[in-house]
Amino acid sequence: MMSQMSAALAARRVLAAASHSGNEGGAKTWKILTIVLAFPGVSVCIANAYMKAQAHSHEQLEFVPYSHLRIRTKKFPWGDGNHSLFHNPHTNPLPDGYESSHH
């Protein structure tokens, strides 16, 4: 318990001392961190998402008419009332199944 308090106090003192040392290198430090860490990190994430998208199968899942899903108590106020606002006929089935069996 005592060692945790002293460690927290020491960390506070270091951070407080750093904040009073001046702002000369602050912007330069963040610019370097952005270039060295952020841009490569974002690039790795984009590459990972692209590779996962390429490996993903685009086959339609089998429709299972679960009674607790796709309940329509009233019509949607747009279109024919049965399609959600961002309806995708390939991925979003209607209460009675997919609209088409081919892609």
Side-chain angles (χ1 to χ4, degrees):
M1 177 73 172
M2 191 60 139
S3 65
Q4 290 176 343
M5 287 178 49
S6 63
L9 182 61
R12 245 185 270 150
R13 286 183 182 163
V14 168
L15 293 174
S19 69
H20 292 294
S21 66
N23 294 332
E24 299 88 35
K28 185 177 180 182
T29 301
W30 283 108
K31 183 177 181 180
I32 291 170
L33 285 173
T34 300
I35 292 170
V36 173
L37 295 176
F39 290 148
V42 170
S43 300
V44 167
C45 290
I46 290 171
N48 184 33
Y50 178 76
M51 288 187 289
K52 284 189 180 280
Q54 294 300 315
H56 176 69
S57 108
H58 294 283
E59 295 178 13
Q60 226 173 29
L61 298 175
E62 180 183 350
F63 177 74
V64 180
Y66 293 113
S67 61
H68 65 283
L69 296 177
R70 294 172 288 281
I71 297 172
R72 306 281 199 268
T73 57
K74 63 180 183 177
K75 290 186 171 202
F76 290 117
W78 51 81
D80 65 352
N82 198 25
H83 294 80
S84 62
L85 185 59
F86 300 105
H87 183 74
N88 181 344
H90 181 69
T91 58
N92 304 119
L94 297 174
D96 54 350
Y98 290 104
E99 295 178 55
S100 62
S101 61
H102 64 283
H103 182 53

